[in-house]
Amino acid sequence: MADLTVMAPEDLDSEDKEMLSWDINDMKLPQNVKKTDWFQEWPDSYEKHIYSSEDRNAQRHLSSWAMRNTNNHNSRILKKSCLGVVVCSRDCSAEEGRKIYLRPAICDKARQKQQRKRCPNCDGPLKLIPCRGHGGFPVTNFWRHDGRFIFFQSKGEHDHPKPETKLEAEARRTMKKAHVASASVPLKLKESPETKSLPGETQSWGSFPLTWSFQEGVQLPSSYNGRLIANTPQQKSLNDCLFFSKSCCLGGTTDLADPTSTLGPTKLYDKCKLSSSWICNGGDLLHPVSGVLSDYGDRQTWNINTALGRQSLNDNCCPSYPFPLTSWPYDFSPSQSSAELFPQQIPVEPPAAESSCRPLWPNPGGELYEERLHVDFNSCCPSSTCHSPQEDPFLFAYASHPHHQYSLTGKSSKWDFDEDMRGVGLDHYSNEMLLNLCPLR
DNA sequence: GTCTGCGGGCTTG
DNA sequence: CAAGCCCGCAGAC
């Protein structure tokens, strides 16, 4: 088991207990670590993890929470504190209860500037909800490199919804730039109803969504409490399912011509990189031509082992899980490689290698994972969207919540497809991409 | 321009 | 003294 913190006490031997009993401030940290943890994108509560020093995400001390560096006057231990989440002060909601959960800028100046901007949905003022999950203070994360391992410890429980991920925020900035660039092109290509800016939309946010954050269609109460995030077996399963979807989507496009194939992870990964016969949508598989949805989001339980060959390479690699997924943000960004946009998600080594066989972003709390796709519509050009700003998934982060996630109906888990892809048709999207959304060509 | 890590310095309990 | 916070700097992207 990767997550030592969730092992049952009775299953632990003395070494395992040592793995659990350490504190980030200890003089000596355990070095006889048998198994390192999979990187946790949304660490919450009082978690401790031991990552391999080879783990790129751990090396970068990444978190999808907006964490800023905090000086603890200890150069050996890096401390970071949570900035919370930026929300609309009007508490506006988009369709299906989607809320605005923006990622606070890490830089102080940038954050102040950010709060002067307007809500992308209702144009109302934005406000920052500070994190007070650690005794009234922000949740803190500690990182310490020691030997072959990177030790992580978090203190406190986030008492606010999750912001958009770093990658989403980065992508949004990228799209904002693209928007500005495209605005200078004399082609009047943004007049289609789907791409027109709505009155409430501020230009500063841009109108080109890049990723969708279908964390959940359920609005969190103001008393949202991260404590509800539990490490249930189902959630762990989901985490590991996410690994598969991420692995398949690395590089953006996915070729899962036959989801029931018995390709091993490496070959599967290679196929993923080669074509776009199938669009991996954070777990759901779409065929861009037929528009067929392999609706794993509807809990169709195609067992990942069937496709991955029963963990043939590494026990840590591809656990046995069904394939439920609820998110499917994607990236229509053919002009820019996924590696450029989302370097963190690109494995340095082939998946067959031990280090890269671990998931890049497992989901500890069973959270939805924001997946990006590089959809190559016949090598179409620049990225954009066919969504109205109101639908702009980029701007809306669902309040993520594992409990809600597991009570999702098929509707909520695939609404994006039903309403935006299947209803409109991917060919339509492709055409839109070509006709309306490639102003630079 | 923003993120990130580092470190000095201040305040508070 | 520890913890939290602010600030500026430098390097990277």
Side-chain angles (χ1 to χ4, degrees):
Chain A
M1 180 178 293
D3 187 352
L4 295 172
T5 63
V6 296
M7 295 180 76
E10 60 269 24
D11 297 332
L12 304 176
D13 57 25
S14 59
E15 291 184 350
D16 290 328
K17 289 175 181 174
E18 182 185 359
M19 296 303 107
L20 291 175
S21 60
W22 61 269
D23 185 88
I24 201 76
N25 293 305
D26 290 349
M27 289 291 292
K28 295 186 69 176
L29 293 171
Q31 292 297 311
N32 56 340
V33 179
K34 293 177 182 176
K35 290 184 179 179
T36 54
D37 292 344
W38 290 359
F39 187 79
Q40 304 296 300
E41 182 182 5
W42 296 101
D44 204 351
S45 302
Y46 294 80
E47 294 185 14
K48 289 188 288 185
H49 298 289
I50 302 175
Y51 302 122
S52 165
S53 60
E54 304 295 315
D55 190 309
R56 304 278 292 185
N57 298 309
Q59 288 173 357
R60 294 167 182 166
H61 315 130
L62 294 180
S63 173
S64 286
W65 299 102
M67 308 295 293
R68 71 169 169 185
N69 188 36
T70 301
N71 184 19
N72 62 340
H73 302 280
N74 184 343
S75 59
R76 296 177 60 194
I77 303 174
L78 176 64
K79 178 182 177 181
K80 294 184 149 191
S81 55
C82 182
L83 287 166
V85 62
V86 172
V87 302
C88 174
S89 63
R90 293 178 183 170
D91 194 33
C92 69
S93 297
E95 58 188 34
E96 299 195 359
R98 284 176 292 172
K99 311 295 287 187
I100 307 284
Y101 295 130
L102 301 176
R103 183 181 187 81
I106 304 301
C107 171
D108 292 343
K109 288 183 178 178
R111 193 166 58 257
Q112 292 170 5
K113 183 178 176 182
Q114 178 187 35
Q115 290 178 75
R116 290 195 295 268
K117 294 181 178 179
R118 313 292 289 184
C119 171
N121 183 45
C122 72
D123 203 32
L126 295 173
K127 70 175 180 181
L128 177 68
I129 298 179
C131 179
R132 302 247 183 267
H134 186 209
F137 288 107
V139 170
T140 48
N141 288 355
F142 297 88
W143 296 89
R144 180 173 163 188
H145 296 237
D146 194 1
R148 296 177 294 117
F149 307 105
I150 298 174
F151 295 85
F152 169 87
Q153 185 171 0
S154 65
K155 296 181 179 179
E157 299 174 353
H158 295 275
D159 60 347
H160 53 85
K162 291 175 179 175
E164 61 185 348
T165 66
K166 175 187 173 184
L167 297 179
E168 286 173 326
E170 289 175 351
R172 179 156 49 78
R173 282 199 298 271
T174 299
M175 292 313 297
K176 176 185 172 184
K177 292 176 183 176
H179 188 199
V180 171
S182 66
S184 64
V185 176
L187 293 175
K188 303 298 184 182
L189 296 175
K190 291 187 281 186
E191 298 306 317
S192 72
E194 292 128 327
T195 57
K196 276 185 179 176
S197 293
L198 295 183
E201 185 198 15
T202 55
Q203 185 72 14
S204 62
W205 291 101
S207 57
F208 292 157
L210 242 187
T211 65
W212 291 20
S213 184
F214 290 103
Q215 293 187 22
E216 180 58 36
V218 180
Q219 176 179 348
L220 285 178
S222 57
S223 59
Y224 169 87
N225 192 326
R227 197 173 330 194
L228 294 172
I229 298 174
N231 283 317
T232 66
Q234 292 90 336
Q235 288 160 2
K236 299 297 293 182
S237 298
L238 180 62
N239 292 346
D240 294 317
C241 292
L242 289 165
F243 162 51
F244 174 76
S245 67
K246 289 167 195 172
S247 298
C248 291
C249 294
L250 291 173
T253 57
T254 303
D255 180 3
L256 295 174
D258 179 9
T260 61
S261 72
T262 55
L263 289 173
T266 304
K267 288 188 176 179
L268 196 53
Y269 172 81
D270 289 339
K271 288 177 71 69
C272 287
K273 293 194 297 183
L274 293 178
S275 84
S276 57
S277 297
W278 285 83
I279 300 171
C280 175
N281 132 28
D284 293 339
L285 300 177
L286 308 177
H287 197 283
V289 176
S290 65
V292 167
L293 169 67
S294 294
D295 192 3
Y296 302 110
D298 251 354
R299 304 300 181 269
Q300 203 174 57
T301 54
W302 169 58
N303 193 310
I304 195 169
N305 282 326
T306 306
L308 297 185
R310 191 61 187 179
Q311 307 174 41
S312 56
L313 294 180
N314 186 321
D315 287 343
N316 283 342
C317 179
C318 306
S320 168
Y321 294 121
F323 211 96
L325 255 280
T326 52
S327 68
W328 93 285
Y330 54 85
D331 168 21
F332 285 136
S333 184
S335 62
Q336 188 172 16
S337 75
S338 296
E340 292 171 300
L341 269 176
F342 312 113
Q344 294 91 325
Q345 294 187 287
I346 307 304
V348 177
E349 305 162 20
E354 187 278 331
S355 61
S356 58
C357 199
R358 280 178 284 119
L360 291 167
W361 291 97
N363 250 339
E367 314 304 341
L368 299 184
Y369 176 80
E370 295 78 8
E371 193 62 76
R372 286 95 184 157
L373 281 189
H374 173 142
V375 181
D376 187 349
F377 284 115
N378 301 318
S379 300
C380 175
C381 51
S383 49
S384 185
T385 180
C386 298
H387 292 267
S388 74
Q390 296 289 12
E391 293 176 319
D392 187 345
F394 209 125
L395 305 174
F396 304 122
Y398 283 118
S400 59
H401 197 301
H403 173 74
H404 292 150
Q405 181 175 331
Y406 281 97
S407 61
L408 280 178
T409 64
K411 165 68 175 179
S412 62
S413 64
K414 59 182 174 65
W415 109 188
D416 43 10
F417 182 82
D418 286 344
E419 298 186 12
D420 295 322
M421 296 299 281
R422 187 154 53 196
V424 178
L426 280 161
D427 286 340
H428 169 80
Y429 268 67
S430 184
N431 291 336
E432 284 290 308
M433 294 278 287
L434 287 164
L435 296 176
N436 292 341
L437 304 174
C438 305
L440 297 179
R441 176 169 280 187

